[in-house]
PDB file of all heavy atoms in Angstrom:
ATOM      1  N   ALA C   1       0.838  -1.200   0.000  1.00 95.00           N
ATOM      2  CA  ALA C   1       0.000   0.000   0.000  1.00 95.00           C
ATOM      3  C   ALA C   1       0.871   1.248   0.000  1.00 95.00           C
ATOM      4  O   ALA C   1       1.661   1.469   0.924  1.00 95.00           O
ATOM      5  CB  ALA C   1      -0.922  -0.006   1.226  1.00 95.00           C
ATOM      6  N   ALA C   2       0.725   2.067  -1.025  1.00 92.00           N
ATOM      7  CA  ALA C   2       1.544   3.276  -1.137  1.00 92.00           C
ATOM      8  C   ALA C   2       0.994   4.173  -2.228  1.00 92.00           C
ATOM      9  O   ALA C   2       0.418   3.709  -3.207  1.00 92.00           O
ATOM     10  CB  ALA C   2       2.997   2.909  -1.467  1.00 92.00           C
ATOM     11  N   GLU C   3       1.192   5.460  -2.033  1.00 87.00           N
ATOM     12  CA  GLU C   3       1.076   6.411  -3.130  1.00 87.00           C
ATOM     13  C   GLU C   3       2.416   6.385  -3.853  1.00 87.00           C
ATOM     14  O   GLU C   3       3.472   6.467  -3.209  1.00 87.00           O
ATOM     15  CB  GLU C   3       0.783   7.817  -2.604  1.00 87.00           C
ATOM     16  CG  GLU C   3      -0.532   7.940  -1.862  1.00 87.00           C
ATOM     17  CD  GLU C   3      -1.729   7.938  -2.800  1.00 87.00           C
ATOM     18  OE1 GLU C   3      -1.523   8.126  -4.025  1.00 87.00           O
ATOM     19  OE2 GLU C   3      -2.856   7.747  -2.319  1.00 87.00           O
ATOM     20  N   THR C   4       2.405   6.274  -5.198  1.00 78.00           N
ATOM     21  CA  THR C   4       3.661   5.992  -5.893  1.00 78.00           C
ATOM     22  C   THR C   4       4.018   6.935  -7.025  1.00 78.00           C
ATOM     23  O   THR C   4       5.137   6.867  -7.534  1.00 78.00           O
ATOM     24  CB  THR C   4       3.642   4.563  -6.483  1.00 78.00           C
ATOM     25  OG1 THR C   4       2.640   4.496  -7.513  1.00 78.00           O
ATOM     26  CG2 THR C   4       3.361   3.529  -5.409  1.00 78.00           C
ATOM     27  N   HIS C   5       3.111   7.793  -7.463  1.00 75.00           N
ATOM     28  CA  HIS C   5       3.388   8.552  -8.682  1.00 75.00           C
ATOM     29  C   HIS C   5       4.139   9.834  -8.348  1.00 75.00           C
ATOM     30  O   HIS C   5       3.629  10.707  -7.639  1.00 75.00           O
ATOM     31  CB  HIS C   5       2.091   8.872  -9.414  1.00 75.00           C
ATOM     32  CG  HIS C   5       2.306   9.345 -10.817  1.00 75.00           C
ATOM     33  ND1 HIS C   5       3.150   8.723 -11.701  1.00 75.00           N
ATOM     34  CD2 HIS C   5       1.788  10.398 -11.499  1.00 75.00           C
ATOM     35  CE1 HIS C   5       3.136   9.354 -12.857  1.00 75.00           C
ATOM     36  NE2 HIS C   5       2.313  10.381 -12.761  1.00 75.00           N
ATOM     37  N   VAL C   6       5.362   9.961  -8.862  1.00 82.00           N
ATOM     38  CA  VAL C   6       6.238  11.080  -8.518  1.00 82.00           C
ATOM     39  C   VAL C   6       5.586  12.417  -8.852  1.00 82.00           C
ATOM     40  O   VAL C   6       5.627  13.361  -8.047  1.00 82.00           O
ATOM     41  CB  VAL C   6       7.603  10.941  -9.223  1.00 82.00           C
ATOM     42  CG1 VAL C   6       8.455  12.189  -8.989  1.00 82.00           C
ATOM     43  CG2 VAL C   6       8.341   9.709  -8.715  1.00 82.00           C
ATOM     44  N   ASP C   7       4.987  12.522 -10.032  1.00 79.00           N
ATOM     45  CA  ASP C   7       4.388  13.799 -10.428  1.00 79.00           C
ATOM     46  C   ASP C   7       3.317  14.244  -9.438  1.00 79.00           C
ATOM     47  O   ASP C   7       3.215  15.431  -9.103  1.00 79.00           O
ATOM     48  CB  ASP C   7       3.773  13.685 -11.822  1.00 79.00           C
ATOM     49  CG  ASP C   7       4.827  13.573 -12.908  1.00 79.00           C
ATOM     50  OD1 ASP C   7       6.004  13.800 -12.608  1.00 79.00           O
ATOM     51  OD2 ASP C   7       4.470  13.245 -14.060  1.00 79.00           O
ATOM     52  N   ARG C   8       2.506  13.305  -8.967  1.00 85.00           N
ATOM     53  CA  ARG C   8       1.472  13.650  -7.991  1.00 85.00           C
ATOM     54  C   ARG C   8       2.101  14.104  -6.672  1.00 85.00           C
ATOM     55  O   ARG C   8       1.575  14.986  -5.987  1.00 85.00           O
ATOM     56  CB  ARG C   8       0.539  12.458  -7.760  1.00 85.00           C
ATOM     57  CG  ARG C   8      -0.339  12.118  -8.956  1.00 85.00           C
ATOM     58  CD  ARG C   8      -1.151  10.849  -8.702  1.00 85.00           C
ATOM     59  NE  ARG C   8      -1.914  10.439  -9.875  1.00 85.00           N
ATOM     60  CZ  ARG C   8      -3.200  10.699 -10.072  1.00 85.00           C
ATOM     61  NH1 ARG C   8      -3.876  11.371  -9.151  1.00 85.00           N
ATOM     62  NH2 ARG C   8      -3.816  10.287 -11.164  1.00 85.00           N
ATOM     63  N   SER C   9       3.228  13.487  -6.292  1.00 85.00           N
ATOM     64  CA  SER C   9       3.879  13.886  -5.035  1.00 85.00           C
ATOM     65  C   SER C   9       4.450  15.290  -5.126  1.00 85.00           C
ATOM     66  O   SER C   9       4.534  16.001  -4.120  1.00 85.00           O
ATOM     67  CB  SER C   9       4.982  12.886  -4.667  1.00 85.00           C
ATOM     68  OG  SER C   9       6.177  13.081  -5.403  1.00 85.00           O
ATOM     69  N   ILE C  10       4.861  15.696  -6.318  1.00 88.00           N
ATOM     70  CA  ILE C  10       5.383  17.051  -6.511  1.00 88.00           C
ATOM     71  C   ILE C  10       4.262  18.076  -6.358  1.00 88.00           C
ATOM     72  O   ILE C  10       4.451  19.150  -5.786  1.00 88.00           O
ATOM     73  CB  ILE C  10       6.066  17.159  -7.890  1.00 88.00           C
ATOM     74  CG1 ILE C  10       7.346  16.305  -7.908  1.00 88.00           C
ATOM     75  CG2 ILE C  10       6.399  18.614  -8.223  1.00 88.00           C
ATOM     76  CD1 ILE C  10       7.968  16.148  -9.276  1.00 88.00           C
ATOM     77  N   GLU C  11       3.083  17.716  -6.826  1.00 88.00           N
ATOM     78  CA  GLU C  11       1.939  18.630  -6.717  1.00 88.00           C
ATOM     79  C   GLU C  11       1.434  18.739  -5.286  1.00 88.00           C
ATOM     80  O   GLU C  11       1.068  19.814  -4.820  1.00 88.00           O
ATOM     81  CB  GLU C  11       0.806  18.151  -7.633  1.00 88.00           C
ATOM     82  CG  GLU C  11       1.116  18.242  -9.118  1.00 88.00           C
ATOM     83  CD  GLU C  11       1.400  19.654  -9.572  1.00 88.00           C
ATOM     84  OE1 GLU C  11       0.680  20.573  -9.117  1.00 88.00           O
ATOM     85  OE2 GLU C  11       2.338  19.844 -10.367  1.00 88.00           O
ATOM     86  N   ASP C  12       1.403  17.620  -4.559  1.00 90.00           N
ATOM     87  CA  ASP C  12       0.894  17.609  -3.177  1.00 90.00           C
ATOM     88  C   ASP C  12       1.433  16.363  -2.478  1.00 90.00           C
ATOM     89  O   ASP C  12       1.036  15.246  -2.812  1.00 90.00           O
ATOM     90  CB  ASP C  12      -0.632  17.603  -3.164  1.00 90.00           C
ATOM     91  CG  ASP C  12      -1.212  17.653  -1.756  1.00 90.00           C
ATOM     92  OD1 ASP C  12      -0.424  17.695  -0.778  1.00 90.00           O
ATOM     93  OD2 ASP C  12      -2.444  17.643  -1.626  1.00 90.00           O
ATOM     94  N   ALA C  13       2.300  16.561  -1.515  1.00 92.00           N
ATOM     95  CA  ALA C  13       2.964  15.432  -0.856  1.00 92.00           C
ATOM     96  C   ALA C  13       2.180  14.887   0.329  1.00 92.00           C
ATOM     97  O   ALA C  13       2.563  13.853   0.895  1.00 92.00           O
ATOM     98  CB  ALA C  13       4.363  15.846  -0.387  1.00 92.00           C
ATOM     99  N   SER C  14       1.078  15.521   0.722  1.00 92.00           N
ATOM    100  CA  SER C  14       0.417  15.154   1.974  1.00 92.00           C
ATOM    101  C   SER C  14      -0.088  13.716   1.970  1.00 92.00           C
ATOM    102  O   SER C  14       0.061  12.991   2.969  1.00 92.00           O
ATOM    103  CB  SER C  14      -0.734  16.125   2.267  1.00 92.00           C
ATOM    104  OG  SER C  14      -1.675  16.135   1.214  1.00 92.00           O
ATOM    105  N   ALA C  15      -0.693  13.268   0.868  1.00 92.00           N
ATOM    106  CA  ALA C  15      -1.189  11.890   0.809  1.00 92.00           C
ATOM    107  C   ALA C  15      -0.045  10.886   0.890  1.00 92.00           C
ATOM    108  O   ALA C  15      -0.206   9.779   1.414  1.00 92.00           O
ATOM    109  CB  ALA C  15      -1.986  11.679  -0.476  1.00 92.00           C
ATOM    110  N   PHE C  16       1.104  11.256   0.385  1.00 93.00           N
ATOM    111  CA  PHE C  16       2.273  10.376   0.405  1.00 93.00           C
ATOM    112  C   PHE C  16       2.806  10.208   1.824  1.00 93.00           C
ATOM    113  O   PHE C  16       3.179   9.107   2.237  1.00 93.00           O
ATOM    114  CB  PHE C  16       3.357  10.928  -0.522  1.00 93.00           C
ATOM    115  CG  PHE C  16       2.978  10.864  -1.977  1.00 93.00           C
ATOM    116  CD1 PHE C  16       2.067  11.768  -2.519  1.00 93.00           C
ATOM    117  CD2 PHE C  16       3.499   9.896  -2.804  1.00 93.00           C
ATOM    118  CE1 PHE C  16       1.690  11.704  -3.850  1.00 93.00           C
ATOM    119  CE2 PHE C  16       3.134   9.817  -4.138  1.00 93.00           C
ATOM    120  CZ  PHE C  16       2.222  10.720  -4.657  1.00 93.00           C
ATOM    121  N   VAL C  17       2.807  11.299   2.576  1.00 95.00           N
ATOM    122  CA  VAL C  17       3.243  11.215   3.974  1.00 95.00           C
ATOM    123  C   VAL C  17       2.239  10.386   4.777  1.00 95.00           C
ATOM    124  O   VAL C  17       2.626   9.519   5.566  1.00 95.00           O
ATOM    125  CB  VAL C  17       3.405  12.629   4.574  1.00 95.00           C
ATOM    126  CG1 VAL C  17       3.711  12.543   6.067  1.00 95.00           C
ATOM    127  CG2 VAL C  17       4.520  13.377   3.846  1.00 95.00           C
ATOM    128  N   ARG C  18       0.964  10.621   4.562  1.00 95.00           N
ATOM    129  CA  ARG C  18      -0.058   9.891   5.328  1.00 95.00           C
ATOM    130  C   ARG C  18       0.007   8.391   5.048  1.00 95.00           C
ATOM    131  O   ARG C  18       0.077   7.579   5.980  1.00 95.00           O
ATOM    132  CB  ARG C  18      -1.458  10.423   4.997  1.00 95.00           C
ATOM    133  CG  ARG C  18      -2.577   9.612   5.632  1.00 95.00           C
ATOM    134  CD  ARG C  18      -3.951  10.173   5.329  1.00 95.00           C
ATOM    135  NE  ARG C  18      -4.997   9.205   5.663  1.00 95.00           N
ATOM    136  CZ  ARG C  18      -5.425   8.943   6.884  1.00 95.00           C
ATOM    137  NH1 ARG C  18      -4.894   9.575   7.918  1.00 95.00           N
ATOM    138  NH2 ARG C  18      -6.370   8.039   7.095  1.00 95.00           N
ATOM    139  N   THR C  19      -0.038   8.011   3.789  1.00 95.00           N
ATOM    140  CA  THR C  19      -0.090   6.586   3.456  1.00 95.00           C
ATOM    141  C   THR C  19       1.267   5.914   3.640  1.00 95.00           C
ATOM    142  O   THR C  19       1.377   4.884   4.304  1.00 95.00           O
ATOM    143  CB  THR C  19      -0.576   6.392   2.010  1.00 95.00           C
ATOM    144  OG1 THR C  19      -1.897   6.915   1.890  1.00 95.00           O
ATOM    145  CG2 THR C  19      -0.583   4.919   1.637  1.00 95.00           C
ATOM    146  N   ASN C  20       2.301   6.483   3.045  1.00 96.00           N
ATOM    147  CA  ASN C  20       3.586   5.796   2.985  1.00 96.00           C
ATOM    148  C   ASN C  20       4.326   5.803   4.314  1.00 96.00           C
ATOM    149  O   ASN C  20       5.013   4.824   4.643  1.00 96.00           O
ATOM    150  CB  ASN C  20       4.461   6.427   1.901  1.00 96.00           C
ATOM    151  CG  ASN C  20       3.824   6.350   0.526  1.00 96.00           C
ATOM    152  OD1 ASN C  20       2.742   5.790   0.369  1.00 96.00           O
ATOM    153  ND2 ASN C  20       4.473   6.913  -0.464  1.00 96.00           N
ATOM    154  N   VAL C  21       4.213   6.890   5.080  1.00 97.00           N
ATOM    155  CA  VAL C  21       4.937   6.985   6.348  1.00 97.00           C
ATOM    156  C   VAL C  21       4.039   6.584   7.521  1.00 97.00           C
ATOM    157  O   VAL C  21       4.295   5.591   8.207  1.00 97.00           O
ATOM    158  CB  VAL C  21       5.501   8.409   6.559  1.00 97.00           C
ATOM    159  CG1 VAL C  21       6.275   8.478   7.873  1.00 97.00           C
ATOM    160  CG2 VAL C  21       6.411   8.796   5.392  1.00 97.00           C
ATOM    161  N   ILE C  22       2.961   7.341   7.721  1.00 97.00           N
ATOM    162  CA  ILE C  22       2.083   7.047   8.857  1.00 97.00           C
ATOM    163  C   ILE C  22       1.453   5.660   8.699  1.00 97.00           C
ATOM    164  O   ILE C  22       1.381   4.882   9.663  1.00 97.00           O
ATOM    165  CB  ILE C  22       0.996   8.137   8.996  1.00 97.00           C
ATOM    166  CG1 ILE C  22       1.649   9.486   9.319  1.00 97.00           C
ATOM    167  CG2 ILE C  22      -0.029   7.752  10.059  1.00 97.00           C
ATOM    168  CD1 ILE C  22       0.701  10.658   9.298  1.00 97.00           C
ATOM    169  N   GLY C  23       1.009   5.336   7.492  1.00 97.00           N
ATOM    170  CA  GLY C  23       0.393   4.029   7.271  1.00 97.00           C
ATOM    171  C   GLY C  23       1.327   2.884   7.580  1.00 97.00           C
ATOM    172  O   GLY C  23       0.915   1.872   8.174  1.00 97.00           O
ATOM    173  N   THR C  24       2.586   3.007   7.210  1.00 98.00           N
ATOM    174  CA  THR C  24       3.553   1.945   7.510  1.00 98.00           C
ATOM    175  C   THR C  24       3.744   1.792   9.010  1.00 98.00           C
ATOM    176  O   THR C  24       3.807   0.661   9.527  1.00 98.00           O
ATOM    177  CB  THR C  24       4.896   2.242   6.817  1.00 98.00           C
ATOM    178  OG1 THR C  24       4.692   2.269   5.399  1.00 98.00           O
ATOM    179  CG2 THR C  24       5.938   1.183   7.151  1.00 98.00           C
ATOM    180  N   GLN C  25       3.813   2.915   9.737  1.00 98.00           N
ATOM    181  CA  GLN C  25       3.975   2.814  11.185  1.00 98.00           C
ATOM    182  C   GLN C  25       2.752   2.189  11.841  1.00 98.00           C
ATOM    183  O   GLN C  25       2.872   1.375  12.770  1.00 98.00           O
ATOM    184  CB  GLN C  25       4.240   4.195  11.788  1.00 98.00           C
ATOM    185  CG  GLN C  25       4.561   4.173  13.275  1.00 98.00           C
ATOM    186  CD  GLN C  25       5.822   3.382  13.568  1.00 98.00           C
ATOM    187  OE1 GLN C  25       6.879   3.668  13.013  1.00 98.00           O
ATOM    188  NE2 GLN C  25       5.728   2.385  14.448  1.00 98.00           N
ATOM    189  N   VAL C  26       1.565   2.540  11.360  1.00 98.00           N
ATOM    190  CA  VAL C  26       0.337   1.928  11.880  1.00 98.00           C
ATOM    191  C   VAL C  26       0.385   0.412  11.686  1.00 98.00           C
ATOM    192  O   VAL C  26       0.058  -0.374  12.594  1.00 98.00           O
ATOM    193  CB  VAL C  26      -0.907   2.533  11.201  1.00 98.00           C
ATOM    194  CG1 VAL C  26      -2.153   1.700  11.498  1.00 98.00           C
ATOM    195  CG2 VAL C  26      -1.120   3.973  11.674  1.00 98.00           C
ATOM    196  N   LEU C  27       0.787  -0.033  10.504  1.00 98.00           N
ATOM    197  CA  LEU C  27       0.865  -1.468  10.225  1.00 98.00           C
ATOM    198  C   LEU C  27       1.898  -2.156  11.112  1.00 98.00           C
ATOM    199  O   LEU C  27       1.649  -3.253  11.633  1.00 98.00           O
ATOM    200  CB  LEU C  27       1.217  -1.699   8.759  1.00 98.00           C
ATOM    201  CG  LEU C  27       0.120  -1.437   7.729  1.00 98.00           C
ATOM    202  CD1 LEU C  27       0.692  -1.542   6.322  1.00 98.00           C
ATOM    203  CD2 LEU C  27      -1.036  -2.416   7.903  1.00 98.00           C
ATOM    204  N   LEU C  28       3.046  -1.539  11.279  1.00 98.00           N
ATOM    205  CA  LEU C  28       4.095  -2.127  12.131  1.00 98.00           C
ATOM    206  C   LEU C  28       3.591  -2.285  13.565  1.00 98.00           C
ATOM    207  O   LEU C  28       3.784  -3.337  14.193  1.00 98.00           O
ATOM    208  CB  LEU C  28       5.346  -1.254  12.099  1.00 98.00           C
ATOM    209  CG  LEU C  28       6.175  -1.298  10.820  1.00 98.00           C
ATOM    210  CD1 LEU C  28       7.156  -0.123  10.795  1.00 98.00           C
ATOM    211  CD2 LEU C  28       6.926  -2.616  10.695  1.00 98.00           C
ATOM    212  N   ASP C  29       2.956  -1.239  14.089  1.00 98.00           N
ATOM    213  CA  ASP C  29       2.456  -1.300  15.466  1.00 98.00           C
ATOM    214  C   ASP C  29       1.385  -2.379  15.618  1.00 98.00           C
ATOM    215  O   ASP C  29       1.390  -3.155  16.582  1.00 98.00           O
ATOM    216  CB  ASP C  29       1.871   0.060  15.868  1.00 98.00           C
ATOM    217  CG  ASP C  29       2.930   1.145  16.007  1.00 98.00           C
ATOM    218  OD1 ASP C  29       4.131   0.805  16.133  1.00 98.00           O
ATOM    219  OD2 ASP C  29       2.560   2.337  15.984  1.00 98.00           O
ATOM    220  N   ALA C  30       0.468  -2.430  14.660  1.00 98.00           N
ATOM    221  CA  ALA C  30      -0.607  -3.423  14.739  1.00 98.00           C
ATOM    222  C   ALA C  30      -0.062  -4.840  14.593  1.00 98.00           C
ATOM    223  O   ALA C  30      -0.506  -5.766  15.287  1.00 98.00           O
ATOM    224  CB  ALA C  30      -1.652  -3.144  13.663  1.00 98.00           C
ATOM    225  N   ALA C  31       0.886  -5.033  13.705  1.00 98.00           N
ATOM    226  CA  ALA C  31       1.477  -6.359  13.528  1.00 98.00           C
ATOM    227  C   ALA C  31       2.136  -6.826  14.819  1.00 98.00           C
ATOM    228  O   ALA C  31       2.041  -8.005  15.196  1.00 98.00           O
ATOM    229  CB  ALA C  31       2.490  -6.328  12.387  1.00 98.00           C
ATOM    230  N   ARG C  32       2.763  -5.918  15.507  1.00 98.00           N
ATOM    231  CA  ARG C  32       3.408  -6.277  16.787  1.00 98.00           C
ATOM    232  C   ARG C  32       2.363  -6.626  17.848  1.00 98.00           C
ATOM    233  O   ARG C  32       2.493  -7.613  18.570  1.00 98.00           O
ATOM    234  CB  ARG C  32       4.295  -5.123  17.251  1.00 98.00           C
ATOM    235  CG  ARG C  32       5.253  -5.468  18.371  1.00 98.00           C
ATOM    236  CD  ARG C  32       6.313  -4.405  18.557  1.00 98.00           C
ATOM    237  NE  ARG C  32       5.765  -3.107  18.943  1.00 98.00           N
ATOM    238  CZ  ARG C  32       5.698  -2.046  18.132  1.00 98.00           C
ATOM    239  NH1 ARG C  32       6.122  -2.133  16.882  1.00 98.00           N
ATOM    240  NH2 ARG C  32       5.199  -0.898  18.559  1.00 98.00           N
ATOM    241  N   ARG C  33       1.284  -5.841  17.912  1.00 97.00           N
ATOM    242  CA  ARG C  33       0.237  -6.107  18.903  1.00 97.00           C
ATOM    243  C   ARG C  33      -0.458  -7.441  18.663  1.00 97.00           C
ATOM    244  O   ARG C  33      -0.839  -8.130  19.617  1.00 97.00           O
ATOM    245  CB  ARG C  33      -0.812  -4.987  18.887  1.00 97.00           C
ATOM    246  CG  ARG C  33      -0.386  -3.712  19.564  1.00 97.00           C
ATOM    247  CD  ARG C  33      -1.577  -2.812  19.810  1.00 97.00           C
ATOM    248  NE  ARG C  33      -2.274  -2.457  18.574  1.00 97.00           N
ATOM    249  CZ  ARG C  33      -1.951  -1.411  17.821  1.00 97.00           C
ATOM    250  NH1 ARG C  33      -0.929  -0.643  18.156  1.00 97.00           N
ATOM    251  NH2 ARG C  33      -2.635  -1.146  16.725  1.00 97.00           N
ATOM    252  N   HIS C  34      -0.615  -7.788  17.397  1.00 97.00           N
ATOM    253  CA  HIS C  34      -1.385  -8.990  17.053  1.00 97.00           C
ATOM    254  C   HIS C  34      -0.505 -10.208  16.808  1.00 97.00           C
ATOM    255  O   HIS C  34      -1.006 -11.239  16.359  1.00 97.00           O
ATOM    256  CB  HIS C  34      -2.271  -8.702  15.835  1.00 97.00           C
ATOM    257  CG  HIS C  34      -3.391  -7.745  16.122  1.00 97.00           C
ATOM    258  ND1 HIS C  34      -4.611  -8.160  16.616  1.00 97.00           N
ATOM    259  CD2 HIS C  34      -3.466  -6.398  16.023  1.00 97.00           C
ATOM    260  CE1 HIS C  34      -5.396  -7.101  16.784  1.00 97.00           C
ATOM    261  NE2 HIS C  34      -4.722  -6.023  16.424  1.00 97.00           N
ATOM    262  N   GLY C  35       0.763 -10.092  17.112  1.00 97.00           N
ATOM    263  CA  GLY C  35       1.643 -11.246  17.041  1.00 97.00           C
ATOM    264  C   GLY C  35       1.910 -11.766  15.635  1.00 97.00           C
ATOM    265  O   GLY C  35       2.128 -12.967  15.446  1.00 97.00           O
TER     266      GLY C  35
END
C-alpha cells in the first residue's frame, strides 16, 4: 500500500506522507500487537 506517482507527489505530498509513512507505522504497530 503506497502512493507511488512522482508527479502527484510534486503537486501535493500530503497523501504520500499519510499513506507511505504514517500508514507503515500503523501497520508495524498493529502487527506487533497482534503477534
Side-chain angles (χ1 to χ4, degrees):
E3 297 285 345
T4 66
H5 194 47
V6 174
D7 289 349
R8 291 175 185 262
S9 79
I10 292 170
E11 293 299 319
D12 183 0
S14 58
F16 292 76
V17 174
R18 173 178 166 77
T19 298
N20 300 358
V21 181
I22 296 172
T24 298
Q25 186 62 56
V26 167
L27 286 173
L28 287 165
D29 291 342
R32 193 166 63 253
R33 283 194 301 272
H34 291 273

